[in-house]
Amino acid sequence: MASTLGDNFSLLSPKQQELVKMLLDNGQEHVFRDWPGPGVDDDKKKAFIDQVTRLDSSYPGGLQAYIKNAKQLLADSKAGKNPFDGFTPSVPTGETLTFADENFIKYEEAGVQEAQKAAFVLVAGGLGERLGYSGIKVALPAETTTGTCFLQHYIEYILALQEASSQGKNQTQIPFVIMTSDDTHGRTLELLESNSYFGMQPKQVTLLKQEKVACLEDNDARLALDPQNKYQIQTKPHGHGDVHSLLYSSGILKVWNDAGLKWVLFFQDTNGLLFKAIPSALGVSATKQYHVNSLAVPRKAKEAIGGITKLTHSDGRSMVINVEYNQLDPLLRASGYPDGDVNAENGYSPFPGNINQLILELGPYIEELSRTGGAIKEFVNPKYKDARKNEFKSSTRLECMMQDYPKTLPPSARVGFTVMDAWLAYAPVKNNAEDAAKVPKGNPYHSATSGEMSIYRANSRILKQVGVQVADPVVQVLNGQEVEVWPRITWKPKWGLTYSRIKSKVRGKSSISQRSTLAIKGQNIFIENLSLDGALIIDAVDNAEVNASGSVQNKGWTLETVDHKDSKEPEVLRIRGFKFNKVDQLEAKYTEPGNWNISEYPSFGSSKFRAR
């Protein structure tokens, strides 16, 4: 049994010997082939066995299950097997919401009530290298008017939901889990600790670190050794689908269930608009009693975003799942839709665009994970050397995606979706400036430039909806991308958590010019007959009530272009292609309770900072 190992077998504990025997039984003799006898490199051999032990313990079913799954998936890949063979696509059932109508408001208010029974899970294993940013993605500013980073933005929204859903009762602390990786774990913790967790209680926040999986060197699923180190297996990330097995194995789901929680909301790391859609989507989940609710946006036919699709198999199985855009069109053509994926009368595909934000009902979720051990259906994507598909260009590995969770659900599971306009719900930051500039005109850039401009657009459109006269945007080219530049309007989540709350804080007739900047940092700030042409920053403690009225006119902040190759500028500005020159502003800061009116402030000259 241990012939390949020779006398090295005696170096191992009984448990380690069992693990080695398992590897040998599963075609992995090659990993021990060049081992010298005992006394040479013993520390490196022990480190190898420690790595194998970690890989074995972090995968549902252990390395044996990983190798078995890999052999099957690699055989299917070589044979060109279509994972959708036997399935017929159809449009699933879901809810399409129109911002600010009666239905939307009803769901939004219902969602706020449900939030006290929710937990939030952020999948944040990535660095910003692909964006041209060397830090972790959640540390990037969502917008540079206030400099609020994504992690702070998300935490402040969760805290605003926590406060609003408790309605003056003792606040139920909403749990927040962040899935990290080796690359991001330390820096995420540091970001939280150095900012006092952005106002959350440290015990509310749990970091779960994702481990990598073994790489495979060939179709026989032989583990790939590091070319520079024969005592180390190559590893790569397994994908964000690991979040399910991590939650399951950590025991945290049981803790939530015992505490009476009902919902788990999953979201990804750089979508600054997402929480504008969360309350109403959670309201849909509660009202429709969905076990799984995928947030979605209207999708143009053949647009490069996965479509949420119902798949029914000839044997009676069915599932509602994300189908990647490059698979959806051929699948439809093969199923009696000769034109494939085409737009309906409303100008959009009937298959809504998946944005990888899920709301799961906790009880059925725990039941399903107890059955699967947290394992998610995997896929493999080897890069073959040639058409014979016998050799890989480089090692591959199995991967899994968070949104593939519904693939193993029984047909009785209630799986639906909630569609909201992309301007309100979806502006991810995932492309660098050069890649974004190559995007065909009319398609979304999904860059730091468009991500920030989308926040200003959404806030401007929302204020227009509640009666503020907001000037139309101008079109500008920044970092090679043609974007609409609206007034730079931002607010804290506790000010504008829902449409109804925003509407209650806007009175009379107000106007905001296109060149203006408005930052609302406080809870009880009311906009009433305000005429803004310039920059206005209002910062108030929660028990100060501030009336923003009258005419505020100053030189304001000017938007200046930045070249993404200009190394004199910081990365966070280079990846956007612009910066603000804060020429002049009225900054009203209220540190004491009471009723205040900004019209007491002089609206001319440089009123940079006046405390009350």
Side-chain angles (χ1 to χ4, degrees), residues 10 59 114 192 242 315 345 374 409 428 442 459 494 560 567 569:
S10 59
Y59 184 84
E114 288 294 314
L192 287 164
D242 272 356
D315 64 11
E345 286 172 10
L409 292 176
N459 290 344
K494 60 186 173 185
E560 298 180 357
S567 56
E569 295 289 356

Side-chain angles (χ1 to χ4, degrees), residues 327-344:
Q327 296 172 316
L328 181 58
D329 189 63
L331 179 63
L332 286 162
R333 288 175 191 275
S335 307
Y337 297 84
D339 299 325
D341 184 21
V342 290
N343 291 328

Side-chain angles (χ1 to χ4, degrees), residues 268-515:
Q268 287 183 282
D269 46 17
T270 52
N271 179 5
L273 296 180
L274 173 72
F275 274 83
K276 294 186 188 304
I278 288 279
S280 52
L282 183 53
V284 169
S285 275
T287 308
K288 303 273 182 181
Q289 299 183 307
Y290 283 154
H291 295 161
V292 178
N293 183 5
S294 294
L295 268 69
V297 293
R299 180 183 153 277
K300 294 280 187 188
K302 303 178 184 63
E303 188 184 333
I305 174 175
I308 295 171
T309 310
K310 182 173 186 179
L311 296 176
T312 307
H313 198 273
S314 49
D315 64 11
R317 282 180 295 146
S318 69
M319 55 184 168
V320 175
I321 197 72
N322 172 64
V323 177
E324 290 304 330
Y325 70 96
N326 54 352
Q327 296 172 316
L328 181 58
D329 189 63
L331 179 63
L332 286 162
R333 288 175 191 275
S335 307
Y337 297 84
D339 299 325
D341 184 21
V342 290
N343 291 328
E345 286 172 10
N346 65 358
Y348 291 98
S349 165
F351 299 93
N354 167 53
I355 62 170
N356 279 358
Q357 326 290 333
L358 297 175
I359 303 177
L360 304 184
E361 188 179 339
L362 181 57
Y365 181 47
I366 291 174
E367 275 176 44
E368 177 65 11
L369 295 189
S370 303
R371 198 174 63 75
T372 61
I376 296 297
K377 286 277 186 193
E378 293 162 307
F379 61 95
V380 70
N381 191 16
K383 303 288 183 278
Y384 298 107
K385 276 190 177 171
D386 56 40
R388 289 175 301 178
K389 298 187 177 179
N390 288 330
E391 292 181 67
F392 304 159
K393 288 180 181 174
S394 59
S395 62
T396 190
R397 86 286 198 182
L398 302 191
E399 297 177 72
C400 62
M401 295 192 292
M402 176 176 82
Q403 66 270 26
D404 281 346
Y405 164 74
K407 281 189 173 176
T408 56
L409 292 176
S412 58
R414 291 188 294 276
V415 182
F417 61 79
T418 304
V419 178
M420 264 172 270
D421 286 322
W423 70 261
L424 181 73
Y426 191 52
V429 176
K430 53 189 183 183
N431 290 328
N432 62 40
E434 287 179 355
D435 290 346
K438 294 175 195 156
V439 167
K441 194 173 175 183
N443 287 6
Y445 296 115
H446 292 168
S447 66
T449 314
S450 62
E452 177 160 356
M453 290 300 167
S454 295
I455 290 171
Y456 304 140
R457 176 179 64 186
N459 290 344
S460 294
R461 288 185 66 165
I462 291 166
L463 286 190
K464 272 183 112 156
Q465 185 77 38
V466 296
V468 179
Q469 194 181 335
V470 180
D472 287 336
V474 298
V475 173
Q476 218 172 324
V477 176
L478 302 167
N479 267 355
Q481 303 155 60
E482 199 174 89
V483 290
E484 289 183 350
V485 181
W486 290 79
R488 274 67 70 200
I489 298 170
T490 65
W491 55 70
K492 287 288 189 191
K494 60 186 173 185
W495 183 82
L497 181 64
T498 62
Y499 172 74
S500 303
R501 282 166 174 71
I502 294 165
K503 195 174 182 186
S504 71
K505 291 172 182 173
V506 177
R507 305 161 181 164
K509 288 189 173 178
S510 295
S511 64
I512 300 172
S513 70
Q514 185 277 331
R515 69 179 195 90

Side-chain angles (χ1 to χ4, degrees), residues 246-267:
L246 279 172
L247 287 169
Y248 178 68
S249 61
S250 71
I252 200 164
L253 297 175
K254 184 179 184 309
V255 174
W256 293 346
N257 199 44
D258 292 347
L261 297 190
K262 191 174 178 185
W263 307 104
V264 188
L265 292 92
F266 296 84
F267 63 107

Side-chain angles (χ1 to χ4, degrees), residues 143-306:
E143 40 78 14
T144 51
T145 294
T146 65
T148 303
C149 73
F150 280 105
L151 188 55
Q152 177 179 358
H153 179 72
Y154 295 146
I155 285 177
E156 288 180 346
Y157 260 107
I158 294 168
L159 289 173
L161 277 167
Q162 180 177 296
E163 188 178 337
S165 66
S166 60
Q167 291 184 311
K169 303 190 290 284
N170 284 340
Q171 279 190 35
T172 307
Q173 288 186 353
I174 294 177
F176 182 34
V177 167
I178 306 172
M179 182 172 86
T180 60
S181 63
D182 284 333
D183 292 332
T184 64
H185 188 85
R187 287 191 261 185
T188 305
L189 192 59
E190 187 187 348
L191 181 62
L192 287 164
E193 289 179 341
S194 60
N195 290 284
S196 308
Y197 285 75
F198 298 109
M200 258 191 181
Q201 297 299 317
K203 66 175 185 293
Q204 265 178 276
V205 184
T206 306
L207 268 56
L208 293 177
K209 185 161 78 76
Q210 171 187 28
E211 298 297 337
K212 291 177 177 166
V213 290
C215 291
L216 309 157
E217 70 177 23
D218 58 25
N219 284 324
D220 294 323
R222 296 188 331 151
L223 302 179
L225 292 173
D226 187 323
Q228 267 68 54
N229 181 0
K230 65 184 177 189
Y231 298 109
Q232 189 164 329
I233 295 168
Q234 283 182 43
T235 59
K236 287 183 182 171
H238 190 218
H240 48 52
D242 272 356
V243 70
H244 302 294
S245 62
L246 279 172
L247 287 169
Y248 178 68
S249 61
S250 71
I252 200 164
L253 297 175
K254 184 179 184 309
V255 174
W256 293 346
N257 199 44
D258 292 347
L261 297 190
K262 191 174 178 185
W263 307 104
V264 188
L265 292 92
F266 296 84
F267 63 107
Q268 287 183 282
D269 46 17
T270 52
N271 179 5
L273 296 180
L274 173 72
F275 274 83
K276 294 186 188 304
I278 288 279
S280 52
L282 183 53
V284 169
S285 275
T287 308
K288 303 273 182 181
Q289 299 183 307
Y290 283 154
H291 295 161
V292 178
N293 183 5
S294 294
L295 268 69
V297 293
R299 180 183 153 277
K300 294 280 187 188
K302 303 178 184 63
E303 188 184 333
I305 174 175

